[in-house]
Amino acid sequence: MAVAAITPDYTGERLDRMENFNGNQVVYLGWDHHLMFCAPVAFAVQPDTLFSKVLDELIPGAFSQHPEFDRVDWGAVQWHLNGEAFTPQADVALIDQGVDHKSILRFNTPGLDGIAGTGS
Amino acid sequence: MSTRKLSLKDKYRILTRDLEWEYSYRDYREIFKQEAFEGIKITDWSKWEDPFRLTMDAYWKYQAEKEKKLYAIFDAFAQNNGQQNVTDARYVNAIKLFLTGVSPLEYQAYNGFAHVGRQFGGVGARVACQMQSLDELRHVQTQIHAMSHYNKFFDGFQDFTHMHDRVWYLSVPKSFFDDARSAGPFEFMVAIGFSFEYVLTNLLFVPFMSGAAYNGDMATVTFGFSAQSDEARHMTLGLEIIKFLLEQHPDNVPVVQRWINKWLWRGTRVLTLVAMMMDYMLPNKVMSWKESFEVYFEEAASALFKDLARYGIEMPRYAETAILEKEHVSHQAWSIFYNYTHAAAFHTWMPDDKEMDWLSEKYPDTFDKYYRARFEHWRELERAGERYYNPTLPMLCQTCQIPMGFTEMDNPTLTAYRQSVYQGERYNFCSDGCKDIFDHEPEKYVQAWLPVHQIFQGNCGGPDIEDVLGDYYRINLGVDNMDFHGSPDEARWNAWHNLQPAEDKLKQAS
Ligand SMILES: [Fe+2]
Ligand SMILES: [Fe+2]
Ligand SMILES: [Zn+2]
């Protein structure tokens, strides 16, 4: 039983199925231990967006105001996709490397611990 | 005809239990269609003990007297320009949050109790729910009247019902009540009657009402007093429903336990808004959120659940997490609203030095370690004329709908991420509690109206975020939103009191 309901075999409308996003999919981005950004951020992007766009546009757009942003060594960044370790390929489409609708991309920047080392 | 006056006991019996009749030509199950589908077993409604003995005529008389006094004070407050006597204009933002976030819940409670008051086979339960329904209608009305005076002098109050249905952070309390009202009647009673009105009520009303008292807001305090005797009745009803369900049938115990787990978690998530109000929005502090959580949840709930242990009920499943989080949630929530104040219908600001010190003192294990440097950085940006606003939209939890600002309690600077895949689609959550709630009833929560996703789908106007905020949410941009410093609210307040804005003082001094 997937819900207690008066109607037998009740099913709910999936409000966020991908078809509703006009050709886009939702992707979430979070920078670990940098809570000056109060929560991970959400983007609606086309599934065939190259990962390089995430690196060159989305991430700077969301996180460049952090005082440590310019010091990020992008070669040393550790990525997670939906909780699993992940090695992104810059010139491959998101969907072709498993970044699908409502996926979470997290990155961790070793050596950078946030404002005054407090994870902010 | 005899004119003998009825004894109170007879009158009560005639006006409540005697209203019931035998169902001779319709099947009981057809009349009370919603009584069985949740898996609750009722064997004997006559075992229901009326939690309070109040007849309708006494109810009207008593409430009318309270109302007369209440409105006399509202009038006096208005005539004396009470709005000028609050501690400072920042305080009024707590009231904006109350009117847009909490008062509409009173209306939802009125609807909910009116509905379940029709669904129960037991007449005693039906009458009690009907009375609470009326109380809740009165609460929403008197709250609107208490706060309408502020609407004449401060921004952000004007469209509170419209905003409640649309604005991103108001979807948190709204969806909480929508969840309860779309559940079956017994779950509604455990959700609202027991978990909210009995266990959590002090964590909502004491902060707001004492907050009002400490900050010179006589209108809101007086509302609080006039609701107190109602709330006492609501608490006894909440406790009766739990005891009744647990005593009726042993099969009810696991169902009720699951509802308690769910609703106390849902409730503490909603109360995050109250936590930040207490710690950040009251110029005169009552006590810290942490302290009030200790008194009104940890102490009170542990006594209550010790008492319920004889029925086989245990402490709610996520209580341990909620207890650890008392050190963090107010700071995390204030960070969220500070990030997105341009999208809110009230103002935020950074604490001043004295307030920072108060936070350090009240949160010796967390404030300096995790939050102070962040806030000082934001304050420096503001002083440099670059007040920080987050230019993006946040990721939301599918269940509680709060931006994902909560962290792992064993690693407090790491965002807590949880995910489920249901029928091929990913769903994301802020916590184990929110994930488990989804996993148990996914067909309910796949329907969540998540404000950020709705914006992306084009359902909230646009194309720009400004259009969403201005046209769809009806926030007066540059007036209702943004930092308190520089707001029209602040300017008016300063003009009333011949105060200079902090910036001008600095300029003159240099
Ligand atoms: Fe109420
Ligand atoms: Fe109540
Ligand atoms: Zn949640």
Side-chain angles (χ1 to χ4, degrees):
Chain A
M1 187 174 63
V3 67
I6 347 172
T7 317
D9 304 317
Y10 176 92
T11 54
E13 189 192 340
R14 278 123 182 85
L15 241 58
D16 290 331
R17 60 188 191 281
M18 208 177 124
E19 302 90 271
N20 290 356
F21 288 84
N22 313 307
N24 288 328
Q25 66 174 35
V26 176
V27 175
Y28 307 107
L29 287 176
W31 184 1
D32 288 351
H33 306 296
H34 285 74
L35 295 175
M36 165 173 158
F37 311 106
C38 62
V41 299
F43 286 103
V45 291
Q46 303 210 325
D48 62 2
T49 302
L50 298 181
F51 201 88
S52 55
K53 184 175 165 175
V54 173
L55 291 170
D56 300 339
E57 289 177 36
L58 303 189
I59 286 180
F63 303 123
S64 65
Q65 296 187 60
H66 198 283
E68 290 181 334
F69 187 77
D70 292 336
R71 288 162 49 205
V72 175
D73 172 1
W74 290 99
V77 161
Q78 297 159 344
W79 296 88
H80 282 91
L81 172 62
N82 296 314
E84 308 281 332
F86 175 65
T87 310
Q89 298 159 268
D91 50 356
V92 173
L94 293 179
I95 195 69
D96 295 334
Q97 50 190 319
V99 185
D100 53 11
H101 186 42
K102 293 195 272 172
S103 277
I104 302 167
L105 271 169
R106 280 166 49 197
F107 62 101
N108 184 28
T109 49
L112 299 180
D113 302 317
I115 298 162
T118 64
S120 280
Chain B
M1 201 179 98
S2 151
T3 54
R4 182 178 65 91
K5 228 180 152 198
L6 289 168
S7 77
L8 263 180
K9 209 171 144 220
D10 284 341
K11 197 159 113 180
Y12 178 76
R13 180 180 48 77
I14 287 166
L15 287 174
T16 56
R17 296 287 175 125
D18 261 19
L19 294 173
E20 184 67 315
W21 63 85
E22 293 289 315
Y23 307 103
S24 55
Y25 60 94
R26 289 283 190 195
D27 182 48
Y28 179 91
R29 299 227 161 271
E30 194 190 345
I31 299 167
F32 299 107
K33 281 184 186 135
Q34 299 193 9
E35 210 179 273
F37 80 92
E38 299 172 270
I40 287 291
K41 293 175 181 161
I42 303 297
T43 54
D44 185 1
W45 270 111
S46 76
K47 294 276 167 29
W48 172 272
E49 281 183 45
D50 293 344
F52 42 83
R53 285 167 196 262
L54 190 60
T55 56
M56 247 325 138
D57 59 333
Y59 180 84
W60 290 128
K61 195 170 153 236
Y62 185 55
Q63 300 294 42
E65 278 165 19
K66 285 200 300 187
E67 265 196 21
K68 227 187 268 167
K69 286 183 205 150
L70 180 62
Y71 282 90
I73 292 185
F74 290 170
D75 286 345
F77 184 77
Q79 278 160 19
N80 295 325
N81 284 318
Q83 79 282 357
Q84 297 193 3
N85 299 327
V86 298
T87 38
D88 80 52
R90 293 181 304 166
Y91 164 74
V92 179
N93 292 285
I95 298 300
K96 296 177 194 178
L97 188 61
F98 195 89
L99 184 71
T100 54
V102 180
S103 300
L105 303 187
E106 302 276 13
Y107 188 73
Q108 291 236 50
Y110 146 71
N111 272 311
F113 280 100
H115 169 70
V116 298
R118 164 64 184 82
Q119 300 305 327
F120 294 133
V123 63
R126 292 208 302 273
V127 170
C129 288
Q130 182 196 19
M131 296 245 187
Q132 177 153 358
S133 169
L134 290 169
D135 283 340
E136 304 298 4
L137 186 60
R138 204 177 76 84
H139 291 174
V140 63
Q141 288 174 343
T142 44
Q143 283 170 20
I144 293 167
H145 288 144
M147 293 172 208
S148 66
H149 183 69
Y150 289 106
N151 180 43
K152 298 176 191 159
F153 304 96
F154 297 92
D155 301 313
F157 287 95
Q158 66 282 353
D159 262 322
F160 72 98
T161 55
H162 177 91
M163 287 183 184
H164 187 75
D165 289 338
R166 296 186 178 202
V167 175
W168 58 278
Y169 53 92
L170 299 174
S171 82
V172 174
K174 178 185 166 66
S175 63
F176 171 90
F177 244 95
D178 286 349
D179 188 352
R181 280 179 56 207
S182 55
F186 290 112
E187 184 177 348
F188 176 86
M189 290 303 287
V190 172
I192 306 304
F194 175 72
S195 303
F196 208 67
E197 296 271 359
Y198 189 84
V199 187
L200 299 177
T201 190
N202 283 332
L203 279 172
L204 176 64
F205 283 99
V206 176
F208 271 108
M209 298 314 150
S210 319
Y214 275 59
N215 288 280
D217 176 6
M218 279 316 291
T220 306
V221 178
T222 314
F223 159 76
F225 281 130
S226 99
Q228 233 167 23
S229 54
D230 305 346
E231 294 309 335
R233 256 185 293 115
H234 302 171
M235 290 180 82
T236 58
L237 175 56
L239 198 57
E240 173 58 23
I241 189 81
I242 281 290
K243 293 197 165 158
F244 177 71
L245 291 179
L246 297 173
E247 279 166 10
Q248 281 290 301
H249 202 288
D251 289 357
N252 294 345
V253 176
V255 181
V256 169
Q257 177 76 58
R258 193 171 45 69
W259 286 339
I260 289 175
N261 295 345
K262 168 182 173 179
W263 286 99
L264 286 175
W265 182 251
R266 293 283 267 123
T268 48
R269 273 292 180 255
V270 170
L271 290 175
T272 300
L273 295 172
V274 183
M276 73 161 194
M277 188 282 296
M278 269 192 107
D279 284 345
Y280 288 91
M281 300 175 81
L282 298 178
N284 274 351
K285 313 285 188 212
V286 179
M287 55 163 97
S288 68
W289 169 254
K290 182 182 159 197
E291 288 166 324
S292 85
F293 197 81
E294 284 164 354
V295 176
Y296 296 117
F297 185 80
E298 288 180 62
E299 285 173 29
S302 69
L304 167 68
F305 284 96
K306 222 173 269 167
D307 187 41
L308 293 176
R310 67 193 147 109
Y311 299 110
I313 289 290
E314 298 164 3
M315 267 303 265
R317 178 162 315 155
Y318 314 103
E320 257 173 66
T321 310
I323 290 168
L324 293 170
E325 285 188 346
K326 73 186 174 193
E327 297 270 9
H328 296 276
V329 290
S330 68
H331 320 303
Q332 293 172 339
W334 193 240
S335 294
I336 292 171
F337 282 92
Y338 190 82
N339 266 231
Y340 292 105
T341 296
H342 51 299
F346 62 88
H347 305 296
T348 61
W349 55 88
M350 272 297 107
D352 63 25
D353 287 335
K354 219 178 97 205
E355 290 165 335
M356 291 266 204
D357 291 344
W358 182 83
L359 289 160
S360 299
E361 183 201 317
K362 293 295 180 183
Y363 293 92
D365 298 329
T366 53
F367 187 73
D368 287 353
K369 198 166 167 193
Y370 302 115
Y371 301 101
R372 186 187 266 267
R374 181 189 312 175
F375 291 175
E376 286 174 349
H377 177 67
W378 281 337
R379 224 163 51 172
E380 280 163 33
L381 289 177
E382 189 194 333
R383 282 183 186 146
E386 290 161 22
R387 200 279 195 197
Y388 174 66
Y389 292 103
N390 192 317
T392 65
L393 299 181
M395 176 184 185
L396 308 178
C397 170
Q398 183 79 22
T399 303
C400 70
Q401 308 199 3
I402 300 176
M404 298 262 298
F406 304 104
T407 55
E408 301 288 0
M409 283 302 103
D410 56 4
N411 190 353
T413 63
L414 189 64
T415 306
Y417 294 95
R418 300 290 182 276
Q419 192 178 71
S420 296
V421 175
Y422 177 65
Q423 296 187 342
E425 191 169 329
R426 294 182 195 283
Y427 296 90
N428 296 296
F429 312 96
C430 72
S431 54
D432 293 328
C434 283
K435 175 176 154 59
D436 290 352
I437 291 165
F438 176 94
D439 288 346
H440 186 74
E441 291 188 298
E443 289 298 334
K444 186 168 201 178
Y445 300 96
V446 295
Q447 304 174 64
W449 193 92
L450 296 180
V452 170
H453 292 177
Q454 290 298 313
I455 291 170
F456 286 153
Q457 290 180 28
N459 297 332
C460 306
D464 296 328
I465 289 300
E466 300 252 302
D467 301 318
V468 173
L469 300 176
D471 299 337
Y472 186 75
Y473 288 175
R474 293 196 201 151
I475 292 173
N476 289 325
L477 299 179
V479 176
D480 299 341
N481 61 345
M482 312 304 272
D483 201 281
F484 175 73
H485 298 296
S487 68
D489 269 7
E490 184 196 39
R492 270 189 301 271
W493 179 264
N494 287 341
W496 296 341
H497 294 93
N498 294 317
L499 295 173
Q500 284 177 306
E503 287 161 50
D504 294 357
K505 268 190 238 167
L506 276 176
K507 273 185 215 146
Q508 278 179 357
S510 62

